């Protein structure tokens, strides 16, 4: 690392040896429009006032790491535990994109979903986020995290970057948080040091080029590319900026970063493309690198005559769902394999295109299955702000909430019956069906808390 812009060997070594751990999270404003609840959530994590992450409207540092597993707010999607440097994506997006506009955004390497949940928070409600992950099991984890976040304007796909070339000129913004050699996380994960090698840096650099070249056609002319890694290696950072400028004819977009933040501005050797380096001895966060580009030339998206469009739920069936859903007039009710999926009207044409071209793991919010007489509501609906406020709720204490999240019976004495939302401090956690002598716990088995206190 000697000779890299901003590298201070003594301070770098010292901070890695210090054992210091920085914990930060980003709140989910969609779940906490009520500032009272927001305060309650933050106070439950720390009695001391939380320090904001300078480059994010929603990020906070915690003075110590609590047990998130035993916090019902975590399971309700009130926040996402995210490393602070990564939250700089918010600042980069605000400087390079008009976030008031409806945008089509691709997060190409998205699992487990840190950047995607951030992007979903800052884009407008009629924008579309395509959150893609190539590795199948990781795409499942990504879908769970997106469901917990509760957003309707996200599609989770499980595709290789090369499949994106079927969508020429489709996206306004492309975020490539590339797989990398991971040196930026050495402080947090010292075991990763053993897996590092110069050969792996070279392999990662080649893979980063391949990923970018494969997905590049899907970005429209004048579209924005945001590239990031958690590596310090020049081969994966500045050299990729040179490669992007030379091979893809991408225009570097410098950012105006306040000097007080101590982020190091760097430029690539050959093309003077701007990038930003984050060192743990200079900032409160881990190692990170980010750079922005504009696509100079490219083909525009040609909307072809659709072979298939999305299948609308028949009106009669749709009416049965209305008591469950708020803002139904702005939603498209889609029928898919016996289930009902809710999509914001504004994104349905784009989702119809994606359905033809990619493997969709999840789209919008699954409302549930329509059985003969009733809706069997899905967990995604419980986690979504689309759920109607009048749906029956049961307020749980913290102990009861944790029992519910373990998929145990919280032994409630209830006079109500039928489907009810289990909630902790007004934050929905999932469904239960209340029967005369017991409740059936519908919390998804695969999400339940397994860890003992
Ligand atoms: N953006 C994520 C976040 O903020 O939570 C982290 C992404 S991680 C740095 C890189 C991701 O790229 C991993 O999920 C990994 O599975 C995926 N990946 C690995 N090989 C890939 C490839 N050849 N093409 C695209 N993605 C790949």
């Amino acid at each position: 690392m000697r000779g890299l812009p901003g590298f201070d060997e003594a301070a770098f070594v010292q901070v890695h040896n210090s054992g210091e751990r920085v914990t930060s999270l980003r709140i989910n404003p969609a779940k906490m429009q009520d500032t009272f609840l927001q305060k309650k959530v933050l106070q439950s994590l720390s009695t001391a006032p939380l320090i904001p992450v300078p480059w994010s409207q929603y990020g906070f540092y915690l003075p110590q790491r609590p047990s998130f597993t035993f916090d019902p707010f975590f399971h309700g999607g009130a926040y996402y535990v995210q490393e602070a440097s990564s939250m700089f994506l918010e600042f980069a997006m605000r400087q390079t994109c008009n976030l008031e506009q409806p945008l089509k955004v691709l997060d190409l390497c998205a699992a487990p979903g840190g950047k995607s949940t951030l992007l979903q928070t800052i884009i407008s409600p009629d924008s579309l986020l395509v959150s893609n992950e190539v590795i199948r099991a990781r795409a499942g984890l990504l879908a769970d995290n997106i469901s917990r976040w509760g957003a309707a304007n996200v599609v989770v796909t499980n595709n290789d970057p090369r499949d994106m070339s079927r969508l020429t000129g489709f996206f306004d913004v492309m975020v490539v948080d590339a797989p990398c050699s991971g040196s930026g996380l050495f402080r947090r994960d010292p075991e990763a040091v053993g897996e590092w090698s110069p050969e792996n840096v070279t392999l990662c650099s080649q893979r980063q080029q391949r990923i970018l070249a494969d997905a590049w056609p899907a970005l429209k002319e004048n579209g924005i590319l945001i590239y990031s890694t958690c590596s310090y290696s020049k081969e994966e950072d500045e050299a990729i900026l040179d490669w992007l400028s030379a091979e893809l004819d991408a225009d570097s977009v410098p950012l105006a970063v306040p000097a007080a933040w101590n982020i190091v501005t760097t430029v690539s050797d050959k093309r003077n493309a701007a990038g930003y380096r984050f060192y743990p001895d200079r900032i409160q966060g881990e190692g990170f690198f980010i750079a922005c580009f504009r696509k100079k030339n490219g083909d525009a998206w040609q909307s072809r005559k659709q072979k298939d469009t999305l299948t609308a739920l028949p009106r009669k069936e749709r009416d049965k769902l209305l008591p469950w859903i708020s803002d139904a007039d702005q939603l498209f009710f889609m029928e898919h394999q016996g289930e009902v999926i809710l999509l914001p009207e504004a994104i349905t044409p784009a989702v119809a295109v994606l359905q033809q071209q990619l493997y969709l793991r999840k789209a919008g919010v699954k409302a549930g299955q329509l059985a003969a007489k009733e809706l069997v509501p899905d967990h995604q609906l419980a986690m979504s702000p689309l759920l109607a406020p009048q749906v029956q709720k049961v307020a749980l204490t913290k102990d009861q909430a944790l029992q519910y999240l373990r998929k145990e019976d919280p032994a409630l004495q209830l006079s109500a019956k039928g489907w009810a939302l289990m909630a902790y401090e007004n934050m929905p956690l999932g469904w239960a069906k209340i029967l005369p002598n017991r409740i059936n716990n519908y919390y998804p088995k695969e999400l339940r808390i397994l860890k003992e206190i």
Side-chain angles (χ1 to χ4, degrees), residues 351-411:
V351 177
V353 171
L354 296 172
Q355 197 191 30
Q356 285 182 53
Q357 303 298 344
L358 301 178
Y359 176 68
L360 270 50
R361 179 81 201 222
K362 171 188 185 305
V365 170
K366 196 187 284 178
Q369 281 183 332
L370 264 178
K373 281 202 224 111
E374 60 162 22
L375 175 77
V376 179
D378 193 90
H379 184 64
Q380 289 183 25
L381 183 61
M383 302 310 285
S384 164
L386 296 180
L387 185 70
Q390 70 270 17
V391 168
Q392 170 167 257
K393 262 198 204 122
V394 174
L396 303 177
T397 62
K398 188 166 181 183
D399 284 345
Q400 288 169 340
L402 291 173
Q403 277 174 320
Y404 171 74
L405 294 166
R406 286 203 166 89
K407 224 171 152 47
E408 292 164 2
D409 183 351

Side-chain angles (χ1 to χ4, degrees), residues 66-92:
S67 168
F68 295 114
T69 309
F70 301 121
D71 181 8
F73 287 131
F74 168 80
H75 299 275
Y79 57 83
Y80 191 97
V81 182
Q82 185 176 38
E83 192 284 296
S85 306
S86 298
M87 296 181 199
F88 188 82
L89 173 63
E90 179 183 332
F91 183 81

Side-chain angles (χ1 to χ4, degrees), residues 109-185:
C109 311
K115 309 279 183 316
S116 280
T117 51
L118 183 157
L119 290 164
Q120 194 284 322
T121 294
I122 62 174
I123 59 178
S124 63
D126 49 1
S127 292
L128 165 70
L129 172 64
V130 177
S131 201
N132 179 69
E133 168 58 42
V134 64
I135 298 174
R136 196 162 163 225
R138 288 178 62 79
L141 174 66
L142 173 64
D144 287 345
N145 283 335
I146 297 292
S147 296
R148 183 180 295 134
W149 203 246
N153 57 347
V154 186
V155 172
V156 176
T157 58
N158 177 204
N159 283 82
D160 190 281
R162 95 176 75 89
D163 300 338
M164 299 298 163
S165 65
R166 299 173 198 153
L167 294 164
T168 304
F170 190 75
F171 292 103
D172 302 288
V173 183
M174 194 184 277
V175 174
V176 179
D177 187 32
C180 69
S181 61
S183 45
L185 302 181

Side-chain angles (χ1 to χ4, degrees), residues 313 321 333-336 338-342 365-368 370:
L313 187 72
L321 260 82
F333 287 59
M334 173 179 158
E335 190 171 15
H336 184 68
E339 290 177 320
V340 183
I341 290 170
L342 308 172
V365 170
K366 196 187 284 178
L370 264 178

Side-chain angles (χ1 to χ4, degrees), residues 41-77:
V41 170
L42 294 178
Q43 276 168 359
S44 74
L45 292 163
S46 157
T47 44
L50 301 186
I51 299 170
V53 174
W55 40 84
S56 164
Q57 274 184 23
Y58 306 103
F60 294 93
Y61 293 107
L62 297 185
Q64 69 280 313
R65 196 177 177 86
S67 168
F68 295 114
T69 309
F70 301 121
D71 181 8
F73 287 131
F74 168 80
H75 299 275

